[in-house]
Amino acid sequence: MLAIHRYYWPDSPPYASMLRAIVARWGADGHRVHVLSTQPSYKIGAGLACQPDEELLDGALVRRIDLPSEHGRPLTRLLNVARFAWAIVRQARRTGPYDVIMASTMPPVLTGAAARLAARLTGASFIYHCMDIHPEIGRLSGEFRHPFLFRVLQRIDAATCNGAARVIVLSRDMAGALNNRPSRRGVDVRVINNFNLPSFSDVGDVDPPGEMAKPAGCFRLLFAGNIGRFQGLESLVDAMHRLTGRPEIELAFLGEGRALEGIKSRAGGLLGRQIKFFPHQSVEIARAVIRTADACVVTLVPEIIRYAYPSKTMTYLGEGRPLLVCVEAESELAEFVKREGVGLTVEPNDISALADAIVSLADDSRRLSDMAGRATQVGNEYFAQEHVLSIWSRLLEEIGAERKPI
């Protein structure tokens, strides 16, 4: 089979590592697996070395193509999308045949369309792994806001879904969004959520660097991950401005992203005091910093939860951290947090409720401890790596059985 994603381990997006774990599991199950990706390029400052163009990794043959740097170069970015799409079709024709081709939604829309075309040309079954649903997210961000462009891209993606043997999403909300598309036609949509972010290092547990250690007597609220346009982090900072009378409450950000400088500016006089920023770290150090937190934040701007599911949730729970979740109350994530007793939920953009929730967590250590215990149990029950990978194993078995002649 062929697994496709623009970024693959050791590149830094979470899915780059998750896909490696899925591929390794399929290889251990006895499948011949190829991977098509690109040289590490997700973060300019990550300092990742150039990887071999081809290598055997976990028994899978990984091929990485080299694309020009696109940061700050929108035309190059569009050309890279086309180059990667062409590489997908060429790989399937030259190194196949494959029984199964799987692609994720990065880059959006055209990667899935190219993978579906490659599957049709070579007789493979196609799995569309929708980590996000595009172009709907692009419409919310403004990237695909033009009505004509949005309709064209949605029709392309709907055709990709309609032609897939399975469409994999991360939540019932995402499944509902696909099923409500006007051009839906008999799509087999399955929910397989992600697992705790895997580490492929032998280092084991580490302590956080000294500058990231939690000060004595501090209640630390932590956001870890991409500091981007969809997270709604402005409300979190605004809530902290209402808590200047509680200097022991600290909000820490771990990560980088397009919205970073704007969030720092919004912090104003709280920067470096009650609001701190730590740069992107390795998985091992990130986990160590997460363990210093008293509670961890998951927040999204309105409507995004219909088209995406924040995978940081699994990493937080895997480290036994209670959650403060700022998403719509009717979403699967909010209902899950309330049902399982692993944290508190607040509607997006409700700054007063958010400030009250932070104080509630900081002032009730017994409740917080109970939530932490539940977080560990729930993380192991729903999002343990072995549990989720076994579902991926069964999925390939199921598709393989369908391909066998009767």
Side-chain angles (χ1 to χ4, degrees), residues 8 13 22-23 112 120 140 165-166 182 212 226 243 245 262 272 285 308 326 334 337 367 388:
Y8 195 69
I22 294 170
V23 165
R120 289 189 64 181
L140 293 174
R166 302 290 187 277
M212 300 182 190
N226 181 48
L243 301 178
I285 293 180
C326 306
V337 169
R367 185 185 188 191
V388 179

Side-chain angles (χ1 to χ4, degrees), residues 64-84:
R64 300 181 180 90
I65 63 173
D66 193 12
L67 295 179
S69 174
E70 61 192 39
H71 293 277
R73 303 162 67 186
L75 179 57
T76 301
R77 180 185 177 194
L78 289 174
L79 290 174
N80 281 348
V81 172
R83 291 181 181 110
F84 192 57

Side-chain angles (χ1 to χ4, degrees), residues 137-152:
I137 282 183
R139 181 174 59 179
L140 293 174
S141 71
E143 188 176 13
F144 304 137
R145 64 180 176 271
H146 191 283
F148 177 75
L149 176 62
F150 173 79
R151 287 195 299 272
V152 169

Side-chain angles (χ1 to χ4, degrees), residues 70-362:
E70 61 192 39
H71 293 277
R73 303 162 67 186
L75 179 57
T76 301
R77 180 185 177 194
L78 289 174
L79 290 174
N80 281 348
V81 172
R83 291 181 181 110
F84 192 57
W86 169 242
I88 291 169
V89 177
R90 185 175 58 186
Q91 169 102 2
R93 295 293 296 270
R94 290 186 176 181
T95 63
Y98 298 105
D99 292 330
V100 178
I101 295 176
M102 183 175 82
S104 183
T105 44
M106 177 56 69
V109 182
L110 292 186
T111 297
R116 168 55 185 150
L117 174 61
R120 289 189 64 181
L121 292 173
T122 60
S125 298
F126 174 52
I127 300 174
Y128 195 20
H129 194 186
C130 292
M131 299 291 292
D132 310 292
I133 295 178
H134 291 278
E136 284 83 348
I137 282 183
R139 181 174 59 179
L140 293 174
S141 71
E143 188 176 13
F144 304 137
R145 64 180 176 271
H146 191 283
F148 177 75
L149 176 62
F150 173 79
R151 287 195 299 272
V152 169
L153 292 176
Q154 190 183 57
R155 287 176 182 174
I156 292 172
D157 200 67
T160 301
C161 290
N162 291 338
R166 302 290 187 277
V167 178
I168 308 301
V169 295
L170 308 183
S171 69
R172 293 194 304 271
D173 297 314
M174 295 174 69
L178 285 181
N179 288 328
N180 288 332
R181 279 178 168 175
S183 49
R184 175 188 180 274
R185 186 179 69 246
V187 181
D188 190 345
V189 181
R190 305 286 181 91
V191 177
I192 304 177
N193 214 320
N194 287 330
F195 42 88
N196 190 2
L197 186 62
S199 170
F200 298 98
S201 169
D202 297 328
V203 172
D205 289 345
V206 299
D207 293 325
E211 67 274 14
M212 300 182 190
K214 186 177 75 170
C218 167
F219 174 87
R220 173 175 281 180
L221 187 66
L222 177 73
F223 176 90
N226 181 48
I227 302 175
R229 297 170 294 178
F230 300 134
Q231 277 69 37
L233 299 172
E234 294 81 1
S235 295
L236 197 57
V237 172
D238 291 346
M240 288 299 297
H241 279 290
R242 300 192 178 196
L243 301 178
T244 54
R246 299 292 302 270
E248 80 282 6
I249 297 178
E250 172 189 283
L251 170 63
F253 291 93
L254 176 64
E256 299 168 4
R258 294 182 180 181
L260 176 60
E261 293 307 316
I263 296 298
K264 283 185 175 180
S265 177
R266 201 178 189 97
L270 297 182
L271 184 63
R273 295 167 50 218
Q274 279 185 271
I275 301 180
K276 297 178 180 179
F277 293 84
F278 305 133
H280 175 81
Q281 301 293 324
S282 68
V283 173
E284 295 74 30
I285 293 180
R287 284 177 168 168
V289 176
I290 289 170
R291 288 193 293 271
T292 70
D294 296 284
C296 290
V297 182
V298 177
T299 178
L300 294 171
V301 299
E303 292 192 62
I304 290 292
I305 195 64
R306 297 171 56 194
Y307 308 115
Y309 192 101
S311 295
K312 60 175 60 66
T313 305
M314 294 79 181
T315 302
Y316 291 160
L317 293 174
E319 300 301 333
R321 297 301 85 202
L323 306 178
L324 176 56
V325 174
C326 306
V327 296
E328 289 86 334
E330 68 275 11
S331 67
E332 181 181 357
L333 176 57
E335 291 174 354
F336 172 82
V337 169
K338 289 184 285 188
R339 182 181 71 247
E340 299 296 337
V342 294
L344 300 181
T345 64
V346 177
E347 288 284 340
N349 298 330
D350 191 337
I351 297 169
S352 294
L354 185 53
D356 290 344
I358 295 170
V359 170
S360 175
L361 290 170

